[in-house]
Amino acid sequence: GEDKFNFTCGVVDEGIGDAEVTLQWEADVDRAKKPPGGRGRRPKPKSVEVLFTSPLRDSGLPRPRKHLLLAIPRPSQLERLLPRVAQMGVGHLILCGASKVDANYFRSHVMELQYLRKFLGLGLAGAEDPMMPKITVEADLQELLEGKRLQQIIPGAVSRV
């Protein structure tokens, strides 16, 4: 079977538009039935099709100009924080190490670009804003601020230590 819904959908870094979303289900799946004991996950659709019914348009929101320099928190906290960062309208997110940041955090799967973009995307969906923040990861805060790296990342930036 299939279910159809109408939504306002966005394409990252392009725009938003009206769309018809079709969910295709396996023939033997009872979508309304809860898993045994009422716990667990509901079945997932076999496929999802998104058909835009209107041209993509600008969201009307101003292009984000805020930069956020953030010492990396624990990966579980970073997962919860990233959607909020996107909702704030941050245009450039700089994640960096600092004296109290565990070096192992940089090896976490959450620090992979695909995961960072996934969690930022959750916030963009909530804000109805398709503009994904730029992401920069720097291992050393002191080197970032004392060297020329900050000016390379953000032209015109002035750092005072």
Side-chain angles (χ1 to χ4, degrees):
E2 70 178 33
D3 294 321
K4 291 188 179 196
F5 305 94
N6 291 308
F7 290 108
T8 298
C9 294
V11 177
V12 173
D13 292 332
E14 290 190 30
I16 59 174
D18 298 320
E20 181 178 88
V21 178
T22 304
L23 304 177
Q24 295 285 337
W25 300 92
E26 297 286 346
D28 61 343
V29 172
D30 183 2
R31 300 181 301 281
K33 183 180 176 187
K34 288 188 175 181
R39 297 180 184 216
R41 297 182 181 221
R42 292 184 184 260
K44 291 185 179 182
K46 178 174 67 171
S47 68
V48 178
E49 179 182 298
V50 179
L51 175 65
F52 281 91
T53 57
S54 69
L56 291 178
R57 61 189 180 277
D58 187 9
S59 66
L61 298 171
R63 184 80 176 141
R65 295 185 343 168
K66 300 174 202 155
H67 305 283
L68 178 61
L69 175 61
L70 181 66
I72 299 172
R74 289 191 306 270
S76 61
Q77 290 177 320
L78 184 60
E79 285 180 13
R80 291 192 307 269
L81 187 62
L82 287 173
R84 290 170 181 82
V85 166
Q87 288 175 339
M88 290 180 352
V90 170
H92 195 151
L93 174 62
I94 304 166
L95 297 168
C96 69
S99 62
K100 305 248 179 196
V101 173
D102 188 338
N104 290 325
Y105 293 172
F106 285 96
R107 291 189 283 282
S108 167
H109 73 282
V110 176
M111 290 298 294
E112 293 175 18
L113 185 59
Q114 69 187 30
Y115 287 99
L116 294 172
R117 289 179 60 87
K118 172 186 172 185
F119 293 116
L120 287 168
L122 294 173
L124 293 178
E128 294 185 11
D129 181 5
M131 304 314 287
M132 179 69 71
K134 293 179 185 171
I135 304 166
T136 303
V137 178
E138 291 289 328
D140 188 350
L141 175 63
Q142 188 170 0
E143 184 178 310
L144 173 70
L145 296 177
E146 290 177 353
K148 299 289 183 197
R149 183 73 180 125
L150 186 61
Q151 286 77 24
Q152 292 171 349
I153 296 171
I154 307 169
V158 177
S159 62
R160 293 186 181 108
V161 181

